[in-house]
Amino acid sequence: MFEEYSMAELTDILFMQGFAGLILFSVLVLMALGLAIIFGQMGVINMAHGEFMILGAYTTYLTSHIFETYLPALFDGYFFVAMALAFLVCFALGVLVEWGMIRFLFKRPLDTLLATWGLSLILQQSYRTVFGAREVGVTLPEWMMGSYSMTETIEVPINGIFVMVLTLFIASGVYFLMFRSLWGKQVRAVVQNRPMAGAVGIDTGKVDRYTFGIGCGIAGIAGSAFTMIGSTGPTSGQLYIVDTFLVVVFGGAQSLIGTIASAFTISQSQSTLEFFLSGSMAKVITLLIVVGILMLRPQGLFALKIRQ
Amino acid sequence: MQQRSNIRFMSRQEVLGYIMLAVILLAIIPLSLDVFRLNLIGKYLTYAFVALGLVLCWGYGGILSLGQGVFFGLGGYCMAMFLKLEASDPESTKIQSTPGIPDFMDWNQITELPWWWEPFRQLPFALSAIVLLPTLFAFIIGVAMFKRRVGGVYFAIITQAIAAIMTILIIGQQGYTGGVNGITDLRTLLGWDIRSDSAKVILYYVCSAALFICLLLSQFIRYKKLGRILVAMRDREDRVRFSGYDVANFKIFVFCLSAMFSAIGGAMFTLQVGFMSPSFVGIVPSIEMVIYCAVGGRLSLLGAVYGTLLVNWAKTIFSETFPELWLFAMGALFIAVVMAFPNGLASLFKRYIEPKLPAWYSGKTMVSKAPIIEKDSSMETAHANALGSEENIGSSKSLAKPETAVTVAPRTDEKLEGGVYVD
Amino acid sequence: MSTNRSDFVLAVEGLTVSFDGFKAVNDLSFYVDEGEIRVIIGPNGAGKTTVLDLICGRTQATSGSIKFRGEELTRMKEHQIVHHGVGRKFQNPSIYDDLSVFENLEISYPRGRSVFGSLMFKRDREVIEEVENIAEIIFLQNDLDKPAGLLSHGQKQWLEIGMLLIQKPDLLMLDEPVAGMSVAERKKTAELLNRITQGRSVIVIEHDMQFVEDIAHRVTVMHQGKVLSEGSMERVKNDPKVIEVYLGH
């Protein structure tokens, strides 16, 4: 099937395909980070994670409108304000949800799964009621449009590069938060031994609440970034959600590196396969490979072997 | 000690419960509804098969599958393939460029029936495929997961991914599967027009009967030691393992069984509704089926049927009047049932309705034929009261009920059973 | 350190398990005789529970061998190990709260352990008699119809011991059987253990020194995954190494 391509063309295609994979990778990492933090901390998969992301996207959409109408001079920088707002809105909702729902379902991960699914339905319908069923898109600031030509044949879109840089930034932020800050130490203490952490004076309830909030906040940022490369509808959150769950489960709970590595594996294999097969078959095969590997290594790629 | 060896297949309440359901399904509903509505109820009942499977698998076994739609769909597609081939005889498809193959294949420039469609021309093959294919698929998933001790959230997510894979596959391969529209325009079963009113009534009865067979089969499992092992396994998996059981085999069994029920439901769906499409396979329908089971009470076999009927009836009412509210209601239902009523309708029935029922319901005034044993039942009663705040529904006949001639007020004899859902 | 003596019920040799480099059990060897009650003591984190986990297959050994009546256990699955006659009690009472005491014991009765077998299992005279018999040994003959969740902590511990007994194991492993028990219950448990060890070997992990003295034939002291000292209680008590790490402070 390769005869019709020259060697140079093949390299270019592979490169572009790899770059498309990198953008997908960035989106997956952004989405998975928040989910992974929550999963690692509470052993809970937040089924409404996609809807939190969309909340961030809608927040960005609204912010862009406000800037367009009232502060056109500052439009170039609206995205950074939007991102901060997206984080705050999602964080606040996350804390509220943890306080009103999740904490009562402690130690019932399967029930939490169902309850958060219920939440996701409610959020979806709220978006539909408020923003309508049609997808909305944001206007990109000037500097983010267009693409950067690396060679004559290879062009990479600037918004793609921006999303990648942002991902790098957020991932390092999470790393510092979890592994270099006092708060991160408390979180890890609670994960490892909840009663003991409580006994040494850590407010485990509060740690749970903020962890959940931060996880949701990061989903908000992911949603914000998402508007840079795609449009937003009430059910857009569902689009990547299975992939995201798999990324987290595949990476293994409590492992940041695992999350990133598994996002990389999944996105690269999907975008590479997409070149050879139809999009849907590529997805099917990618998911099958992940499920297959999970069966061989149920704890995920990077789980620690610990004493039971 | 005599009564301990005398475990009964059903308690008096259960017998009455089954009779009640039979009266509702076989008499009240068919007599009071027109064919259109009856057919609708018949469609709901096909989901009850899935909910029933989930009671065994999730309520008893503690295995939450978010991919039951896959098995429902597989069963439904097997049935649909047979019906489609019957509907695609060369005579009625002569306007196609390749007569004799299903219309959607023709639209997708396929000129020959794929080899794996071929055997579905035979009804016996199709019928066995309905039961065996999904069961086999569940067996493969089960062996791969449970032998590797994948469970809990991981299992839920993986089954969900499988549901996603299945949907993408069906939609992507539209030449072979009918794509997003599914397999439609099904007409006859061995020449019998399944779209006629009389056929719909008959199929409704067939569906109800099949559901009853599945219910009784589940009841049987619950009554045997297997049912108690499932409960034990859900609560203390390690202990069961160290009592010498290969836990994985039990999980595989119950998962396969629930897949088989779902598949039968799917096939009944195809027969009654006249088509099958990927919208019954994916993530959303699969998880919706979990709520049917949860609303009925995850430990209650009969509850699964009532829960399914109630949720679907509500869905129909809502979609007819305020469609935009339905998702809110559904979301709230998920949250409420998990947080406030983890044992669903069944627990509400136990708590509020059963105490008001006349004494003959619990059978306490009846003198049984069993030998009268000198045994003080007050102790058990005390425990029953101690547990009274918990819903003691479902599960096996753990307590040998004192079959004495003593007359006890029904309230005090709340049955203690193995399925108490305690966290 | 190999042995061909067949009168050992259990021969553990060179057993090592490492969790990401941390050797919880390090080159451990010990032997248990027929009919012996062996008590393993040691400070927290010495690897005692891990040893039981290794023997009953809950944890996979990194290296070393565990021979039970000459058969290698390290490669067997948990339920196979049970079928070979090893029973294990957990540190926290591990019983089925939702089932009655009778059913708890019935499930542990060694028959109908396959899926099909459990479907065909019949609660016949033999089962009932055996359950009642065991219930009497574990002082629960009057509580058979009680949901196990309503038992007192001590009774739960006994029930779990009963669930092991009904399996008729040749080797019984008990992880802190008297933890959380009252003095009276401890006495009763010691009595119970002495009674049920007829014809079988027992490994017990325990912290309660009085209780250890009451029951132990021999004591193995573990420290940092290794055997620190072994022998009669008297000898172990006077071993300077033991005094230093465990008893002396």
Side-chain angles (χ1 to χ4, degrees):
Chain A
M1 67 184 289
F2 300 113
E3 287 85 37
E4 65 259 50
Y5 299 110
S6 76
M7 203 52 214
E9 276 172 332
L10 260 183
T11 330
D12 288 355
I13 287 168
L14 271 181
F15 185 85
M16 301 284 272
Q17 218 52 43
F19 188 78
L22 280 180
I23 295 179
L24 182 62
F25 163 62
S26 306
V27 174
L28 282 184
V29 168
L30 277 180
M31 281 196 69
L33 275 178
L35 199 66
I37 291 174
I38 297 171
F39 184 57
Q41 159 79 9
M42 312 191 205
V44 158
I45 290 279
N46 175 16
M47 297 287 264
H49 196 76
E51 279 63 40
F52 276 98
M53 182 177 116
I54 296 308
L55 184 62
Y58 277 123
T59 310
T60 310
Y61 166 73
L62 286 180
T63 316
S64 84
H65 262 272
I66 291 168
F67 270 73
E68 232 168 347
T69 328
Y70 302 105
L71 301 161
L74 299 173
F75 189 72
D76 272 359
Y78 87 87
F79 184 70
F80 298 97
V81 180
M83 221 161 64
L85 280 177
F87 179 84
L88 286 178
V89 170
C90 293
F91 176 82
L93 185 64
V95 167
L96 193 72
V97 166
E98 205 284 336
W99 176 78
M101 195 164 95
I102 310 289
R103 70 190 169 116
F104 299 110
L105 300 173
F106 183 61
K107 288 244 167 157
R108 284 160 59 186
L110 295 180
D111 283 4
T112 316
L113 214 72
L114 295 177
T116 50
W117 176 263
L119 179 70
S120 82
L121 294 182
I122 292 176
L123 288 177
Q124 268 177 37
Q125 187 58 41
S126 312
Y127 301 150
R128 204 168 284 134
T129 312
V130 177
F131 298 100
R134 294 227 342 253
E135 298 204 333
V136 296
V138 301
T139 323
L140 290 182
E142 200 79 18
W143 58 271
M144 230 188 264
M145 294 198 229
S147 54
Y148 169 73
S149 310
M150 291 182 75
T151 67
E152 256 171 53
T153 44
I154 299 177
E155 285 195 343
V156 289
I158 290 179
N159 56 356
I161 297 175
F162 180 78
V163 170
M164 277 158 36
V165 172
L166 183 68
T167 305
L168 199 66
F169 190 71
I170 302 286
S172 5
V174 168
Y175 173 79
F176 276 100
L177 186 67
M178 297 301 282
F179 295 98
R180 290 286 177 272
S181 73
L182 177 66
W183 187 80
K185 205 180 267 177
Q186 292 190 345
V187 169
R188 283 178 292 137
V190 174
V191 169
Q192 279 169 22
N193 190 337
R194 185 171 285 268
M196 199 56 213
V200 299
I202 298 173
D203 182 345
T204 57
K206 204 160 136 191
V207 169
D208 278 348
R209 196 152 314 142
Y210 289 138
T211 312
F212 198 84
I214 288 173
C216 294
I218 294 172
I221 297 180
S224 220
F226 189 68
T227 58
M228 300 291 108
I229 51 173
S231 52
T232 309
T235 51
S236 304
Q238 302 286 317
L239 206 61
Y240 289 97
I241 201 71
V242 172
D243 302 46
T244 315
F245 290 160
L246 280 185
V247 164
V248 172
V249 172
F250 190 45
Q254 296 154 38
S255 167
L256 194 62
I257 303 293
T259 304
I260 292 171
S262 83
F264 187 78
T265 322
I266 291 178
S267 56
Q268 286 304 315
S269 54
Q270 172 149 354
S271 61
T272 313
L273 281 170
E274 247 167 40
F275 173 62
F276 301 104
L277 303 156
S278 69
S280 65
M281 278 317 277
K283 186 142 193 177
V284 166
I285 290 178
T286 310
L287 293 181
L288 276 180
I289 291 171
V290 172
V291 168
I293 295 178
L294 266 177
M295 287 169 179
L296 295 176
R297 229 191 119 77
Q299 299 79 24
L301 285 177
F302 287 83
L304 292 172
K305 191 180 172 194
I306 46 165
R307 268 205 259 195
Q308 287 153 326
Chain B
M1 295 298 115
Q2 196 67 45
Q3 81 274 32
R4 235 176 241 128
S5 56
N6 193 11
I7 22 178
R8 283 182 298 172
F9 179 55
M10 281 185 203
S11 71
R12 187 183 172 86
Q13 287 97 324
E14 282 164 341
V15 173
L16 289 169
Y18 280 97
I19 293 174
M20 182 79 179
L21 184 69
V23 170
I24 292 176
L25 288 188
L26 303 178
I28 298 178
I29 289 178
L31 289 177
S32 57
L33 296 177
D34 57 52
V35 175
F36 173 74
R37 293 272 161 186
L38 184 69
N39 185 237
L40 207 58
I41 301 278
K43 183 175 100 177
Y44 300 163
L45 286 181
T46 62
Y47 303 137
F49 287 86
V50 185
L52 184 63
L54 280 166
V55 169
L56 292 176
C57 184
W58 175 42
Y60 282 87
I63 307 159
L64 177 58
S65 160
L66 297 181
Q68 291 303 92
V70 169
F71 308 118
F72 186 82
L74 277 176
Y77 269 100
C78 287
M79 189 77 240
M81 283 161 82
F82 172 79
L83 297 174
K84 190 69 193 171
L85 286 176
E86 190 175 308
S88 312
D89 59 288
E91 184 54 31
S92 35
T93 53
K94 58 176 183 282
I95 49 160
Q96 290 176 184
S97 38
T98 316
I101 63 170
D103 46 12
F104 59 82
M105 291 188 185
D106 197 54
W107 302 333
N108 285 282
Q109 285 83 46
I110 286 172
T111 51
E112 199 186 355
L113 196 67
W115 60 267
W116 51 275
W117 268 75
E118 205 57 60
F120 283 90
R121 286 188 193 282
Q122 316 300 328
L123 184 61
F125 179 87
L127 290 181
S128 12
I130 287 168
V131 176
L132 295 180
L133 205 66
T135 312
L136 182 70
F137 189 46
F139 181 77
I140 294 169
I141 298 174
V143 169
M145 309 273 236
F146 298 131
K147 288 281 181 194
R148 299 289 313 174
R149 306 223 174 130
V150 179
V153 173
Y154 286 84
F155 184 78
I157 296 301
I158 289 176
T159 46
Q160 188 174 46
I162 291 171
I165 294 172
M166 206 67 183
T167 323
I168 299 170
L169 200 61
I170 292 174
I171 294 176
Q173 299 298 311
Q174 58 175 335
Y176 302 110
T177 60
V180 77
N181 296 322
I183 301 181
T184 54
D185 202 16
L186 309 172
R187 296 165 202 161
T188 54
L189 174 72
L190 297 178
W192 177 51
D193 189 348
I194 55 170
R195 294 165 304 174
S196 68
D197 278 1
S198 66
K200 281 181 174 164
V201 174
I202 291 170
L203 284 172
Y204 171 84
Y205 279 107
V206 173
C207 179
S208 303
L211 184 60
F212 254 92
I213 292 171
C214 291
L215 271 170
L216 292 176
L217 192 64
S218 311
Q219 178 77 22
F220 176 73
I221 284 165
R222 214 177 65 166
Y223 144 82
K224 298 305 283 189
K225 189 173 84 167
L226 182 60
R228 295 190 287 285
I229 290 173
L230 290 179
V231 174
M233 204 174 72
R234 183 193 67 201
D235 297 343
R236 300 270 178 187
E237 187 172 325
D238 249 0
R239 181 70 269 164
V240 177
R241 204 168 269 142
F242 291 112
S243 293
Y245 296 96
D246 189 347
V247 167
N249 288 346
F250 287 84
K251 290 189 172 177
I252 295 168
F253 172 80
V254 76
F255 184 55
C256 286
L257 190 73
S258 75
M260 192 177 88
F261 285 177
S262 307
I264 296 173
M268 292 311 303
F269 179 94
T270 305
L271 277 173
Q272 293 185 88
V273 183
F275 77 100
M276 190 69 211
S277 87
S279 60
F280 302 98
V281 174
I283 295 173
V284 177
S286 295
I287 200 165
E288 212 175 294
M289 291 168 187
V290 175
I291 205 68
Y292 304 156
C293 158
V295 166
R298 62 184 82 173
L299 293 170
S300 166
L301 300 175
L302 292 171
V305 181
Y306 290 114
T308 310
L309 288 178
L310 191 75
V311 176
N312 280 288
W313 174 75
K315 186 178 183 174
T316 307
I317 299 287
F318 266 97
S319 335
E320 282 171 3
T321 43
F322 337 91
E324 67 284 0
L325 285 184
W326 171 242
L327 273 186
F328 284 128
M330 187 77 162
L333 194 61
F334 267 99
I335 296 172
V337 94
V338 161
M339 297 190 62
F341 317 103
N343 284 323
L345 288 176
S347 68
L348 296 179
F349 177 78
K350 279 274 167 187
R351 194 185 300 173
Y352 298 109
I353 300 182
E354 211 170 71
K356 296 197 177 66
L357 293 175
W360 57 261
Y361 173 76
S362 58
K364 274 303 119 202
T365 49
M366 192 187 68
V367 182
S368 84
K369 292 188 198 83
I372 294 169
I373 298 134
E374 294 295 323
K375 190 160 186 297
D376 182 13
S377 67
S378 65
M379 200 177 76
E380 279 148 345
T381 312
H383 302 317
N385 289 338
L387 265 193
S389 57
E390 281 295 339
E391 284 72 49
N392 306 307
I393 46 157
S395 170
S396 50
K397 55 284 102 230
S398 59
L399 269 201
K401 294 187 40 201
E403 296 196 353
T404 58
V406 200
T407 310
V408 188
R411 182 72 193 93
T412 52
D413 195 71
E414 234 173 288
K415 221 163 55 116
L416 282 172
E417 290 188 318
V420 185
Y421 184 79
V422 188
D423 271 301
Chain C
M1 272 282 276
S2 90
T3 176
N4 292 318
R5 277 180 60 190
S6 54
D7 53 341
F8 288 135
V9 170
L10 185 76
V12 174
E13 287 177 354
L15 192 63
T16 301
V17 65
S18 90
F19 300 107
D20 274 326
F22 168 70
K23 287 185 174 166
V25 172
N26 191 355
D27 195 21
L28 181 83
S29 302
F30 69 94
Y31 305 88
V32 178
D33 281 329
E34 195 81 59
E36 177 186 345
I37 300 187
R38 168 71 58 96
V39 180
I40 302 178
I41 60 172
N44 283 327
K48 305 181 298 283
T49 298
T50 308
V51 170
L52 295 201
D53 283 347
L54 285 162
I55 296 171
C56 71
R58 198 164 179 236
T59 303
Q60 288 293 308
T62 311
S63 63
S65 99
I66 304 167
K67 283 211 167 68
F68 175 69
R69 297 203 183 288
E71 281 192 272
E72 185 61 49
L73 295 187
T74 44
R75 278 182 294 275
M76 286 186 205
K77 294 221 174 222
E78 291 100 324
H79 66 274
Q80 292 168 323
I81 295 175
V82 174
H83 292 181
H84 277 79
V86 177
R88 157 83 188 268
K89 188 201 159 304
F90 291 99
Q91 199 163 339
N92 297 317
S94 175
I95 54 166
Y96 315 122
D97 287 345
D98 291 347
L99 301 179
S100 71
V101 171
F102 186 95
E103 286 170 332
N104 266 277
L105 292 168
E106 182 191 51
I107 283 193
S108 313
Y109 187 80
R111 199 177 72 196
R113 278 163 162 175
S114 66
V115 172
F116 186 70
S118 69
L119 258 181
M120 292 301 122
F121 181 85
K122 268 201 132 58
R123 187 181 286 182
D124 56 22
R125 184 98 250 146
E126 199 185 317
V127 176
I128 295 171
E129 270 167 14
E130 182 62 12
V131 168
E132 283 166 358
N133 181 21
I134 295 288
E136 206 169 318
I137 296 178
I138 57 170
F139 321 111
L140 291 175
Q141 65 271 34
N142 294 325
D143 299 302
L144 277 172
D145 295 329
K146 232 188 210 186
L150 296 181
L151 297 175
S152 75
H153 181 80
Q155 287 176 317
K156 285 182 183 171
Q157 299 272 37
W158 290 337
L159 175 57
E160 198 180 351
I161 294 174
M163 287 160 70
L164 297 184
L165 287 181
I166 207 165
Q167 286 168 216
K168 298 195 173 53
D170 295 329
L171 174 66
L172 198 57
M173 302 195 292
L174 309 171
D175 200 344
E176 303 198 19
V178 297
M181 282 189 178
S182 67
V183 178
E185 282 174 329
R186 275 165 202 243
K187 266 211 138 78
K188 255 177 138 177
T189 309
E191 203 182 291
L192 170 68
L193 286 190
N194 278 319
R195 190 141 36 104
I196 62 177
T197 42
Q198 312 303 324
R200 57 171 64 97
S201 313
V202 184
I203 300 178
V204 184
I205 292 179
E206 196 42 73
H207 283 297
D208 181 328
M209 282 308 138
Q210 186 54 50
F211 183 77
V212 174
E213 288 211 65
D214 282 351
I215 61 163
H217 295 166
R218 275 201 292 174
V219 177
T220 297
V221 186
M222 278 186 73
H223 182 53
Q224 292 175 349
K226 294 187 168 191
V227 174
L228 187 70
S229 178
E230 198 172 86
S232 67
M233 188 64 189
E234 206 51 38
R235 214 197 104 191
V236 164
K237 250 161 82 176
N238 297 319
D239 186 330
K241 282 185 294 182
V242 177
I243 295 169
E244 193 189 327
V245 305
Y246 190 48
L247 297 168
H249 52 237

